[in-house]
């Protein structure tokens, strides 16, 4: 097991180059199953979830090699295919369910392990299944697997999601891409990562028409062709390091960001007292005078993202008054609260809201990470805390943050990884 040991109280100054988006890379990697020809993907983050997805694609029938660096991969197809996404891979990375749509569209069948729940909630996939059935897929659950097949080909349809789901939107877009005829889907998620998937597919010959009113039209095509695509920056990683600058009362410049995609995050951070200066394209310098309390709610894009909720909470724990954060996306995404309280935070949970009373300082403590974003909220609190913070179970962090320790150290943080 590995731990992070953080000596808090250091103001962070410096520059951080933001990596490619994990949550754009995962669906785009799954989408390569739709294509036989060579695909080159650039700006892929070197994180555990990506390695797991690469292992999954290789087990299904892709040949993947790194070129130049761990951030650029070339994907080609092997002859034999194994249309299965096994439990041992999907259980650690829920996004494995994203191979369901492409496999059905391309091969007419798939056996995909149900992802199961995780720390932040039951994470069902009923919306994925229900909508694929409406495109003609025969789907049953057998021994923990989604067993899906199509008699001939998927059928185009007019679909409408009853609730917004990032993953289900991605699965259905990929399924419809090779489905002859016109499919329309309403009430889709419109996160920047989904737009990046659409851009990648259209670059590969798909015919996907998206207007911003959560409606999409897909003209199915016979086949897709090889392409080269560079993944968009990771807006959640960038938001996380913006909070690192604010919580440590430092001044960090974030490079290689997508400023437009970060508007909802930056708007809330500005309410908390952040000063954001942008002296060059795709770059912003983050600092603050004091931390102001505020009320926020997590909602689908273009609202404030649930993936930034834990990080914002760490910051507001040091705010100048009372703050409220409502978690409206997941049913159990407050697991970081009990750990932050062990560091002195004053937080009460009622229904889906966290009521935070600002304190002067966190006190360093030994804490435990439970999921990707909860883990990083503990690191952020440790950066500001008086004394030493030890974060356990940091494999959660390695799933989604490339070179986190290196990037923070470069800005003056006293943080080391220790094997125990
Ligand atoms: C994606 O997960 C992200 N993961 C999550 O990021 C992110 O928190 C989430 O979208 C919301 O933005 C990736 O992109 C790999 P959803 P996803 O389907 O697709 C319910 C991170 O930290 N739901 O939009 O699984 C679901 O339970 C991760 O990087 C159903 O009820 O999220 C949740 O309450 C964590 N039935 C809500 O919808 C379904 O079939 C939103 O989930 C699907 C979802």
């Amino acid at each position: 097991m590995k731990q992070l040991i953080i000596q808090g109280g250091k103001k962070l100054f410096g520059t951080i180059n933001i990596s490619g988006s994990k949550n754009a890379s995962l669906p785009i990697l799954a989408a390569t199953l739709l294509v036989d020809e060579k695909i080159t993907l650039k700006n892929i983050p070197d994180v555990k979830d990506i390695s797991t997805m690469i292992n999954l694609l290789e087990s299904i029938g892709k040949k993947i090699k790194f070129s130049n660096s761990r951030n650029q991969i070339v994907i080609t197809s092997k002859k034999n295919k194994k249309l299965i996404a096994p439990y041992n891979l999907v259980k650690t990375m829920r996004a494995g369910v994203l191979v369901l749509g492409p496999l059905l569209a391309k091969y007419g069948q798939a056996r995909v392990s149900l992802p199961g729940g995780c720390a932040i909630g039951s994470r069902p996939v009923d919306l994925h299944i229900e909508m694929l059935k409406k495109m003609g897929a025969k789907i049953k659950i057998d021994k923990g697997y989604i067993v899906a097949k199509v008699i001939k080909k998927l059928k185009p349809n007019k679909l409408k999601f009853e609730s917004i789901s990032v993953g289900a939107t991605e699965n259905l877009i990929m399924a419809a891409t090779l489905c002859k005829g016109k499919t329309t889907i309403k009430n889709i998620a419109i996160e920047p990562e989904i737009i990046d998937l659409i851009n990648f597919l259209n670059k590969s010959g798909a015919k996907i028409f998206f207007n911003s009113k959560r409606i999409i039209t897909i003209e199915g095509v016979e086949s897709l062709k090889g392409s080269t695509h560079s993944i968009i920056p990771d807006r959640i990683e960038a938001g996380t390091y913006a909070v690192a600058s604010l919580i440590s009362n430092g001044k960090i410049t974030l490079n290689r960001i997508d400023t437009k995609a970060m508007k909802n995050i930056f708007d809330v951070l500005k309410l908390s007292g952040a000063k954001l200066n942008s002296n060059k394209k795709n770059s912003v310098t983050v600092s603050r005078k004091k931390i102001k309390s505020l009320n926020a709610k997590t909602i689908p894009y273009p609202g404030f993202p649930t993936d930034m909720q834990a990080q914002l909470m760490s910051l507001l724990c040091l705010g100048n008054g009372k703050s409220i954060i409502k978690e409206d996306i997941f049913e159990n995404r407050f697991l970081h609260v009990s750990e932050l309280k062990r560091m002195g935070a004053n937080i009460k949970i009622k229904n889906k809201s966290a009521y935070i009373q600002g304190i002067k300082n966190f006190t360093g403590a030994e804490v435990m990470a439970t999921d990707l974003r909860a883990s990083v909220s503990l690191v952020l609190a440790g950066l500001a805390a008086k004394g030493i913070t030890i974060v356990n179970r940091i494999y959660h962090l390695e799933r989604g943050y490339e070179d986190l320790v290196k990037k923070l150290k470069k800005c003056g943080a006293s943080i080391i990884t220790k094997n125990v």
Side-chain angles (χ1 to χ4, degrees):
M1 291 284 266
K2 284 193 276 188
Q3 289 175 331
L4 282 186
I5 318 278
I6 305 165
Q7 164 71 51
K10 307 225 186 287
K11 294 185 175 185
L12 302 189
F13 295 93
T15 300
I16 294 179
N17 290 333
I18 295 304
S19 301
S21 164
K22 165 181 84 81
N23 289 353
S25 302
L26 291 169
I28 288 173
L29 281 164
T32 63
L33 290 167
L34 294 163
V35 191
D36 292 325
E37 294 175 5
K38 183 175 89 166
I39 290 165
T40 302
L41 295 177
K42 297 179 177 173
N43 202 32
I44 292 266
D46 181 13
V47 296
K48 279 256 177 356
D49 272 8
I50 299 300
S51 318
T52 307
M53 181 60 93
I54 286 175
N55 293 342
L56 175 56
L57 293 180
E58 286 177 330
S59 82
I60 291 173
K62 284 295 182 185
K63 192 161 171 294
I64 296 175
K65 64 181 181 41
F66 292 96
S67 69
N68 306 335
S69 73
R70 298 275 306 166
N71 302 116
Q72 182 164 323
I73 58 175
V74 177
I75 304 169
T76 50
S77 298
K78 293 186 242 179
K79 271 205 188 50
N80 322 339
K81 297 282 180 292
K82 205 164 153 237
L83 307 179
I84 295 187
Y87 176 66
N88 65 311
L89 289 174
V90 177
K91 72 175 181 204
T92 60
M93 192 239 357
R94 296 181 35 72
V97 76
L98 293 176
V99 304
L100 180 60
L103 289 178
L104 273 180
K106 183 94 172 128
Y107 303 103
Q109 58 172 300
R111 231 178 110 75
V112 176
S113 168
L114 273 169
C118 72
I120 63 179
S122 58
R123 308 293 293 276
V125 288
D126 53 315
L127 295 172
H128 301 237
I129 291 172
E130 186 193 308
M131 298 298 258
L132 287 168
K133 280 183 176 171
K134 286 187 179 156
M135 290 187 73
K138 304 279 172 256
I139 300 181
K140 63 180 174 45
I141 306 297
D142 178 36
K143 303 187 190 71
Y145 276 76
I146 304 165
V147 181
K149 66 172 184 295
V150 186
I151 306 304
K152 288 204 190 77
K153 281 269 183 193
L154 287 170
K155 292 193 299 296
N157 203 342
K158 290 186 179 359
L159 307 168
K160 183 174 186 324
F161 278 108
E162 63 186 58
S163 64
I164 293 172
S165 159
V166 170
T169 298
E170 291 164 343
N171 244 331
L172 268 292
I173 289 173
M174 293 187 280
T177 302
L178 296 182
C179 168
K180 201 164 171 338
K182 183 167 138 181
T183 298
T184 53
I185 313 174
K186 291 185 175 174
N187 201 25
I188 61 166
I190 54 171
E191 270 66 2
E193 294 76 31
I194 292 175
I195 310 307
D196 204 27
L197 170 65
I198 293 169
N199 291 339
F200 163 71
L201 287 168
N202 281 341
K203 214 183 268 183
S204 310
K207 290 193 178 125
I208 304 172
F209 311 98
F210 166 64
N211 69 28
S212 53
K213 289 194 204 60
R214 294 191 188 280
I215 299 173
I216 198 164
T217 305
I218 301 160
E219 282 290 345
V221 293
E222 269 300 301
S223 64
L224 297 179
K225 56 188 192 312
S227 62
T228 295
H229 183 75
S230 188
I231 303 289
I232 57 169
D234 193 315
R235 62 192 170 104
I236 305 300
E237 184 199 21
T240 302
Y241 291 123
V243 172
S245 184
L246 298 170
I247 206 166
S248 70
N249 196 10
K251 191 172 193 171
I252 295 179
T253 296
L254 305 173
N255 285 339
R256 302 184 194 164
I257 65 169
D258 176 345
T259 317
K260 187 169 163 289
M262 296 207 61
K263 182 179 177 322
N264 52 11
I265 295 171
F266 285 160
D267 285 351
V268 170
L269 295 183
K270 276 189 261 187
L271 285 176
S272 80
K275 301 261 169 297
L276 303 174
N277 296 312
S278 189
N279 38 25
K280 70 178 168 46
K281 198 168 171 309
N282 303 333
S283 168
V284 72
T285 300
V286 185
S287 61
R288 54 102 170 162
K289 287 229 177 336
K290 59 181 185 180
I291 303 170
K292 294 181 195 153
S293 53
L294 59 87
N295 294 348
K297 182 163 94 161
T298 64
I299 48 178
Y301 193 88
F304 184 76
T306 174
D307 290 350
M308 276 296 300
Q309 179 255 106
Q311 298 91 311
L312 178 67
M313 188 181 292
S314 293
L315 181 66
L316 295 178
C317 285
L318 303 182
N320 66 349
K322 284 188 174 34
S323 300
I324 304 174
I325 303 181
K326 186 169 186 202
E327 171 54 56
D328 236 6
I329 305 276
F330 287 107
E331 70 263 32
N332 188 27
R333 204 171 194 174
F334 284 139
L335 293 170
H336 41 288
V337 170
S338 47
E339 297 302 298
L340 289 171
K341 287 169 79 168
R342 297 185 59 248
M343 297 176 72
N346 181 343
I347 309 169
K348 285 186 182 51
I349 302 291
K350 195 155 169 281
N351 304 329
K352 302 171 89 173
S353 295
Y355 296 81
I356 304 150
Q357 173 61 52
I359 57 170
K360 204 155 165 20
N361 262 315
F362 285 111
T363 313
E366 183 158 3
V367 289
M368 182 174 75
T370 47
D371 66 84
L372 173 56
R373 308 302 175 183
S375 327
V376 85
S377 77
L378 302 176
V379 174
L380 294 169
L383 292 172
K386 276 188 171 328
I388 304 266
T389 298
I390 299 172
V391 183
N392 290 300
R393 298 192 179 180
I394 61 167
Y395 55 84
H396 290 294
L397 276 171
E398 291 163 347
R399 290 187 46 195
Y401 286 94
E402 183 176 25
D403 292 337
L404 175 121
V405 173
K406 201 164 124 193
K407 290 181 177 180
L408 287 172
K409 260 183 170 164
K410 205 173 133 240
C411 293
S414 165
I415 177 170
I416 55 161
T417 308
K418 189 176 156 208
N419 283 309
V420 287

